[in-house]
Amino acid sequence: SSRLRGKNVLITGASSGIGEACARHFAQAGSNLLLAARRKDRLEKLKKDLESQHSQIKVSTFELDVRNRAKVQATAATFGDVDVLVNNAGLVIGLEKLEDITEEAMDTMIDTNVKGLVHVTQAVLPGMRARDRGHIINIGSVAGQQAYGNGSIYCGSKAAVASISKALLFETIDTAIRISEINPGMVETEFSMVRFKGDKSKADSVYKGVHPLDGNDIAETVVFVAGRPEHVNIAEMLVFPTNQAAATTVYRKP
Ligand code: NDP
Ligand code: 8X3
C-alpha cells in the first residue's frame, strides 16, 4: 500500500524468519527500516540486499538483545520517529513437561517474549503518544490462545503477549495509535531449530507432511494490517496453514 511509503518501521528479530520476511515486504512497500536483532552480521547482509533492490529506502541496523532494558532504551534514543513497531523477536526453548523446564530456558523465554516486548514498547510508545500517531504490531501465537502439553512456559509467554496487546488497546483508546496482534499457527522458520537446539531432524519432523506457512505468508498479513487507513485497526488475526485447525492439530498427508 502506498500508505507505507516513507514510513519508519522498526522490526525486532529481523535477522531470520518472520522478521526478515517483514523487512523484505515493508521494503517493497517503500518503508524505511530499523532492523534489530542480536546477529548483526545477518542484519548487515539483509541491509545490503534491501538497499540494492530498493534505492529510495533507508535501512538502519541495530545489534540489540531485547532482554537488555537499558540497551533497548539507549538504542531507541537513536531511532528517530517510529511509525510502525513490529514486536516480533521471540523464541521457544525445548518441549518439556513443566517440572523438567530449566530455570535458564524459562528465563530466556519470558525475558525475550514478554519482558523484551515490553522493553521495546516502553522505549517507543511515549514518542508515538507525543506525536499522536503510530502502530504497534505484536507477533503472538496460536499457542497464546490454546495451551498445549510440554509448552507451558512458551504458551504462557504468548498468552501474556495477548493480554498486553489487549490492555494497550484500552491505554491508547483516546489516541490515534493502533495496537494489533497477529497470531500465527505453524510457520517454517528457524523457530524449531532454536526449540530443539539445532537438531535438524527433530525440527524437520515438525513440518513433515504439512504445507506450513512461511515467513512471507505472515509478512504479507503484517504489511496488510499496517497498510490499512488510519481509522482502521485490525486488532487481532489468527493465521493458520490450511491443514491446521488448532495449536497442535494439523493434518499430515500420509
Ligand atoms: P526465527 O527463529 O526464525 O526468528 C526469531 C527472531 O527473533 C530472530 O531474528 C532472532 O534474532 C530474534 N531474537 C531472538 N531472541 C532475541 C533477543 N533476545 N533479542 C533480539 N532478537 C531476538 O523464528 P520465527 O521467525 O518463527 O519467530 C518470530 C516470532 O514469531 C516469535 O515471536 C515466535 O514466537 C513467533 N511465532 C512463530 C511461529 C512459528 O511457527 N514459527 C508461530 C507463531 C508465532 P537473533 O537470534 O539474531 O537475536
Ligand atoms: C509457535 C507455534 O507450534 O509452538 O508459536 O504452537 S507452536
Side-chain angles (χ1 to χ4, degrees), residues 66-78:
V66 296
R67 292 174 294 183
N68 184 337
R69 187 170 190 276
K71 180 83 189 287
V72 169
Q73 290 282 347
T75 307
T78 70

Side-chain angles (χ1 to χ4, degrees), residues 184-188 210-214 217-218 239-246 249-250:
M186 185 184 276
V187 193
E188 189 165 9
V210 229
H211 183 169
L213 303 173
D214 65 21
D217 297 317
I218 299 304
V239 188
F240 278 152
T242 301
N243 296 125
Q244 181 166 16
T249 307
V250 290

Side-chain angles (χ1 to χ4, degrees), residues 140-143 148 154 158 184-186 191 195 247:
S141 170
V142 62
Y148 55 85
Y154 178 71
K158 289 298 183 176
M186 185 184 276
F191 181 83
R195 163 170 259 172

Side-chain angles (χ1 to χ4, degrees), residues 77-240:
T78 70
F79 285 160
D81 294 356
V82 175
D83 298 304
V84 180
L85 162 61
V86 183
N87 271 320
N88 164 77
L91 78 192
V92 63
I93 308 287
L95 186 64
E96 333 238 20
K97 289 192 172 55
L98 183 111
E99 63 265 37
D100 297 328
I101 297 172
T102 64
E103 184 172 15
E104 192 197 353
M106 174 167 69
D107 286 350
T108 302
M109 288 186 268
I110 293 175
D111 290 351
T112 309
N113 301 357
V114 185
K115 293 174 71 177
L117 176 143
V118 172
H119 295 155
V120 179
T121 304
Q122 287 181 329
V124 168
L125 183 52
M128 289 182 172
R129 218 182 261 286
R131 293 185 296 277
D132 194 25
R133 51 188 266 110
H135 196 163
I136 298 177
I137 301 174
N138 292 332
I139 305 301
S141 170
V142 62
Q145 309 188 337
Q146 304 164 352
Y148 55 85
N150 299 344
S152 56
I153 301 300
Y154 178 71
C155 295
S157 76
K158 289 298 183 176
V161 171
S163 290
I164 289 165
S165 303
K166 284 173 184 94
L168 284 172
L169 278 175
F170 288 88
E171 295 177 16
T172 57
I173 196 169
D174 58 347
T175 75
I177 298 165
R178 290 180 278 178
I179 309 290
S180 303
E181 180 195 349
I182 297 181
N183 296 312
M186 185 184 276
V187 193
E188 189 165 9
T189 60
E190 292 177 18
F191 181 83
S192 293
M193 283 292 277
V194 172
R195 163 170 259 172
F196 297 119
K197 299 200 153 77
D199 184 331
K200 189 168 174 345
S201 74
K202 269 194 184 170
D204 286 346
S205 70
V206 172
Y207 309 107
K208 196 163 274 155
V210 229
H211 183 169
L213 303 173
D214 65 21
N216 292 313
D217 297 317
I218 299 304
E220 281 186 13
T221 68
V222 172
V223 165
F224 175 79
V225 165
R228 293 312 85 217
E230 282 202 34
H231 67 290
V232 179
N233 182 37
I234 298 179
E236 201 181 331
M237 225 185 202
L238 176 63
V239 188
F240 278 152

